[in-house]
């Protein structure tokens, strides 16, 4: 339960790396984890023959066979419901939900069973299910291909939630999820699936749960973000005429409170960026933690830059909905206006 | 594809006994039915005495529960709905465990792997995909075995039933889907659930064979599930078994069916209830007399007396049980929350 090392003070990884996109890193991870553990299987819609609509599962069926990379019937609640039973038979299912907003039917199983089953067996049975899905907006897609549903998942007891923002974290966090004994939801920001390339360690690579990543150090304001919003926060930090620290939350649950509080203790100001709608979003939880535990460190109100409390818009106006660099800069200037 | 049968299958009138059941088997089947019947009747009393909470009555369902589980091997799995809450008793689970469940106490949270009995599914039909996944998973591992999943007539209207049945068929899962068609989903009759002529007809849509049996005839249920389980283990995939009967007791202790049920029909149906029918059969075969019937009942009643005593002797649940079972690798916040709760409780106690 104690944090023995911080992600930022680990020695640089000297293992060989490849430059991969985020979705290539996901694919790399699945190949490594299926080879490592014969009880891991991948299941979902179009994950086998097609290799996934984003190619995240490409090549798995050829290497590991149709029983370990399973094209399922088109039924999200059925995918997650049968995954519960597969765990009881000793499997570690990795379920792909094809899109964020198509995952909602699986909430029935997630809320009523996946998050509760271990508890109702008094801890006797583990349900090591991984649920991964492309998530988030900004990709000029049709309706219901753009949602940020993290709050539904984070709010469900018994579930852990991870959001990588870099290719290396996409591999390392997914590996951690697959190896974890508890159910884990991994939300992969599809906006940066192919727009970002980065070094990814070859072979086994695991990023421990519960540790945030300091993307950029600064002293006047902390920008807290995750997923595709990390890049927006970074760009805002570059343009800001003050010193901004950028914190990538990475694991929404369990949250690395220590990293959040340490950063805000240093800067005294926080701006939280999330693309999901504002009300009861994950940013509200971050703000509540700061209110409870950092109030005396704060020099200004905590501000949120979020999507609006409206349905995710059709794509001709989606840029107006998404948190933008100017909106983040505006919030930064507001908090910096307090002495 | 096997057609579902037009009429209810009955084996009671056949000359020979069902395959695989010798005299000892018939008497063990009787013992299990009495165990279940006694559990149910005593639980209603315990509820009235305030010793257990709201309770889902299964009086009249014993033939389905005992009959459908009797063909199973020890390693086969059972997925109950709340109507089959006491199904673990047929595997030797202590009555105190199930009584504790109805008392809302952690002593009732059993380990499914220990009994091959899944946790009681309180929401409707959501256990069907679990059973399909487990059975599929057994097949993938090359384990010889199968699963039986119980659900009611109302459950066939749920999406979870459809997705679970379809997955089971597509994955050739060794699963027997046992539909307890007691005609009522609380107050809604089966005619208001579907336009299908029978629930067994639905199986055709999954490419799955189906059988309809008289749910008050324990031998008919046994024989249908025995055949289905054999087929499942041999790689033949799932089977839908519709057990048709009529609910003669309230849905649960909180329900008053007089508002919606035909009380004259209830009286008629009670006359052919499953335990009485099976006992008449056993007596005709010379296997049961008054002494034996009394001894079986007395044993079951003693088990229940012991069960409620053990359940009531359980110590109060410790606060750590709020947190401990939730996650294999819990977050630091659990420790803080538990310490905080203990501190407040201790201060309050002073």
């Amino acid at each position: 339960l104690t944090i023995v090392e911080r992600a930022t003070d680990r020695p640089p990884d000297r293992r060989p790396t490849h430059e991969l996109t985020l979705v290539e890193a996901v694919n790399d991870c699945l190949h490594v984890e299926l080879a490592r553990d014969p009880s891991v299987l991948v299941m979902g819609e179009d994950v086998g023959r097609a290799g996934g609509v984003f190619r995240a599962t490409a090549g798995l069926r050829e290497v590991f066979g149709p029983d370990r990379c399973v094209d399922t019937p088109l039924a999200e609640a059925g995918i997650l419901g049968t995954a519960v039973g597969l765990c009881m038979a000793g499997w570690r299912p990795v379920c792909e939900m094809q899109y964020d907003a198509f995952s909602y039917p699986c909430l029935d199983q997630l809320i009523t069973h996946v998050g509760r089953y271990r508890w109702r067996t008094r801890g006797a049975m583990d349900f090591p299910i991984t649920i991964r899905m492309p998530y988030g907006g900004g990709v000029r897609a049709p309706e219901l291909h753009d949602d940020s549903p993290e709050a539904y998942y984070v709010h469900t007891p018994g579930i852990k939630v991870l959001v990588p923002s870099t290719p290396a974290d996409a591999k390392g966090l997914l590996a951690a999820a697959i190896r974890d004994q508890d159910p884990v939801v991994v939300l992969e920001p599809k906006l940066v699936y192919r727009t970002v390339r980065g070094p990814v360690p070859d072979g086994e690579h695991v990023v421990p749960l519960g540790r945030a990543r300091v993307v950029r150090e600064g002293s006047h304001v902390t920008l807290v973000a995750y997923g595709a919003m990390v890049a927006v926060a970074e760009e805002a930090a570059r343009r800001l005429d003050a010193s901004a620290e950028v914190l990538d939350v990475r694991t929404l649950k369990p949250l690395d409170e220590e990293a959040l509080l340490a950063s805000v203790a240093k800067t005294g100001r926080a701006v939280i960026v999330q693309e999901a709608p504002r009300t009861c979003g994950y940013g509200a939880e971050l703000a509540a933690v700061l209110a409870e535990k950092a109030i005396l460190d704060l020099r200004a109100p905590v501000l949120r830059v979020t999507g609006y409390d409206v349905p995710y818009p059709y794509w001709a106006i989606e840029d107006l909905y998404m948190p933008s660099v100017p909106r983040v800069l505006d919030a930064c200037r507001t908090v910096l206006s307090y002495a | 594809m096997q057609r579902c049968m037009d009429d209810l299958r009955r084996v009671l009138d056949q000359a020979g006994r069902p395959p695989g059941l010798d005299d000892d088997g018939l008497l063990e089947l009787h013992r299990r039915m009495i165990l279940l019947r006694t559990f149910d009747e005593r639980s209603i009393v315990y509820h009235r005495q305030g010793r257990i909470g709201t309770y889902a009555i299964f009086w009249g369902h014993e033939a389905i529960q005992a009959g459908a589980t009797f063909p199973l091997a020890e390693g086969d799995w059972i997925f109950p709905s709340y109507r089959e809450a006491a199904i673990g008793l047929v595997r030797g689970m202590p009555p105190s465990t199930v009584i504790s469940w109805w008392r809302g106490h952690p002593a009732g949270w059993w380990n499914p792997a220990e009994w091959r009995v899944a946790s009681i599914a309180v929401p409707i039909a959501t256990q069907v995909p679990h059973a399909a996944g487990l059975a599929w998973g057994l097949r993938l591992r090359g384990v010889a075995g199968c699963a039986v999943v119980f659900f009611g007539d109302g459950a066939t209207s749920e999406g979870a039933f459809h997705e679970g049945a379809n997955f089971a068929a597509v994955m050739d899962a060794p699963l027997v889907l046992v539909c307890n068609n007691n005609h009522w989903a609380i107050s809604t009759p089966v005619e208001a659930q579907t336009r299908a002529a029978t629930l067994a007809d639905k199986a055709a849509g999954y490419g799955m064979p189906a059988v309809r049996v008289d749910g008050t005839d324990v031998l008919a249920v046994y024989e249908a599930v025995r055949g289905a389980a054999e087929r499942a283990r041999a790689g033949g995939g799932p089977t839908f078994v519709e057990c048709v009967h009529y609910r003669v007791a309230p849905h649960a202790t909180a329900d008053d069916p007089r508002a919606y049920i035909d009380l004259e029909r209830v009286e008629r149906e009670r006359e052919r209830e499953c335990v009485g029918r099976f006992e008449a059969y056993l007596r005709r075969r010379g296997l049961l007399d008054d002494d034996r019937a009394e001894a079986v009942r007395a044993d079951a009643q003693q088990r229940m007396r012991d069960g409620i005593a053990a359940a009531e002797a359980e110590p109060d649940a410790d606060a750590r049980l709020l947190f401990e079972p939730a996650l294999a690798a819990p977050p630091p916040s659990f420790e803080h929350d538990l310490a905080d709760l203990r501190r407040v409780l201790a201060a309050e106690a002073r």
Side-chain angles (χ1 to χ4, degrees), chain A residues 7-246:
Chain A
T8 43
D9 52 40
R10 265 179 300 167
D13 205 324
R14 291 202 177 77
R15 275 182 300 161
T17 60
H18 272 84
E19 292 283 317
L20 299 179
T21 64
L22 198 146
V23 72
E24 286 167 350
V26 169
N27 183 257
D28 182 27
C29 173
L30 292 171
H31 276 274
V32 170
E33 295 303 312
L34 263 76
R36 177 182 170 272
D37 182 347
S39 68
V40 176
L41 69 77
V42 166
M43 60 192 289
E45 296 153 8
D46 309 303
V47 298
R49 294 169 184 84
V53 294
F54 287 98
R55 310 291 298 151
T57 55
L60 295 174
R61 189 173 192 263
E62 290 74 11
V63 175
F64 301 100
D67 282 346
R68 293 190 59 211
C69 181
V70 186
D71 280 323
T72 66
L74 208 169
E76 293 79 13
I79 291 168
L80 190 52
T82 52
V84 169
L86 284 165
C87 288
M88 292 174 152
W91 292 92
R92 302 178 83 87
V94 181
C95 305
E96 176 174 302
M97 298 294 152
Q98 200 161 72
Y99 278 91
D100 35 51
F102 298 167
S103 75
Y104 299 146
C106 93
L107 285 171
D108 181 14
Q109 284 289 335
L110 187 96
I111 295 167
T112 55
H113 293 295
V114 174
R116 293 175 201 260
Y117 222 126
R118 186 180 198 281
W119 196 87
R120 64 164 80 105
T121 69
R122 207 167 165 169
M125 283 192 105
D126 287 339
F127 291 84
I129 300 173
T130 301
I131 304 163
R132 47 163 294 274
M133 70 188 80
Y135 103 105
V139 294
R140 306 290 185 257
E143 190 187 22
L144 294 161
H145 290 63
D146 326 273
D147 277 13
S148 294
E150 67 270 19
Y152 307 132
Y153 292 106
V154 168
H155 193 65
T156 304
I159 306 292
K160 299 171 181 176
V161 182
L162 317 180
V163 185
S165 70
T166 68
D169 279 357
K171 180 174 182 180
L173 289 173
L174 180 57
I178 293 170
R179 297 180 188 195
D180 202 274
Q181 284 301 99
D182 295 315
V184 185
V185 173
V186 184
L187 302 170
E188 299 160 359
K190 70 172 95 71
L191 178 62
V192 289
Y193 253 170
R194 297 184 200 287
T195 55
V196 176
R197 249 174 213 287
V200 177
D202 291 352
E204 294 190 24
H205 171 57
V206 182
V207 172
L209 271 57
R211 295 192 199 157
R213 180 176 68 99
V214 178
V215 180
R216 171 199 166 107
E217 304 225 23
S219 51
H220 299 138
V221 57
T222 301
L223 301 181
V224 190
Y226 50 90
M229 292 301 102
V230 172
V232 173
E234 279 186 87
E235 180 58 23
R238 267 192 293 276
R239 289 199 216 163
L240 188 67
D241 45 7
S243 168
E245 180 145 307
V246 176

Side-chain angles (χ1 to χ4, degrees), chain A residues 1 39 41 43 67 70-86 88-91 105 108-109 112-113 115 117-126 158-160 180-183 254-255 257 293, chain B residues 77 79 106-113 118-123 125-127 129-134 136-141 160 163-164 166-167 170-171 320-332 335-336:
Chain A
L1 294 181
S39 68
L41 69 77
M43 60 192 289
D67 282 346
V70 186
D71 280 323
T72 66
L74 208 169
E76 293 79 13
I79 291 168
L80 190 52
T82 52
V84 169
L86 284 165
M88 292 174 152
W91 292 92
D108 181 14
Q109 284 289 335
T112 55
H113 293 295
Y117 222 126
R118 186 180 198 281
W119 196 87
R120 64 164 80 105
T121 69
R122 207 167 165 169
M125 283 192 105
D126 287 339
I159 306 292
K160 299 171 181 176
D180 202 274
Q181 284 301 99
D182 295 315
L255 168 65
E257 280 190 10
K293 300 183 178 176
Chain B
W77 277 72
F79 286 78
W109 311 341
W110 66 77
N111 176 5
S119 300
I120 298 163
V122 173
T126 49
Q127 75 278 19
H130 302 169
L134 171 106
W136 168 28
L138 293 180
R139 180 180 71 69
L140 286 183
R141 293 180 76 92
E163 295 192 20
N166 189 51
F167 261 81
V170 169
M171 301 305 176
R320 73 187 163 77
L321 281 170
L322 281 179
F323 302 96
E324 207 173 73
L327 290 161
E335 232 172 67
H336 302 151

Side-chain angles (χ1 to χ4, degrees), chain B residues 222-302:
Chain B
Y222 164 80
E223 174 54 17
V225 175
R226 189 196 59 78
E230 204 168 84
R231 186 174 163 274
R233 290 196 199 95
T239 302
F240 185 97
V241 178
E242 180 185 356
C243 303
V244 184
H245 66 131
Y246 194 86
R247 205 188 75 209
V248 297
H251 156 69
T253 49
D255 174 41
D256 180 0
R258 285 174 300 183
Y260 56 82
I261 215 161
D262 174 357
L263 291 170
E264 286 177 13
R265 169 99 191 254
V266 167
E267 282 314 305
R268 284 202 308 280
E269 296 286 344
R270 271 183 173 268
E271 285 169 18
R272 54 189 294 279
E273 63 83 21
C274 62
V275 171
R277 284 188 72 188
F278 190 49
E279 291 195 332
Y281 167 84
L282 293 173
R283 284 173 192 270
R284 281 201 301 279
R285 292 187 63 102
L287 293 172
L288 188 71
D289 56 20
D290 289 348
D291 284 351
R292 183 176 174 96
E294 183 46 43
V296 171
R297 277 182 169 69
D299 176 66
Q301 280 165 0
Q302 186 57 46

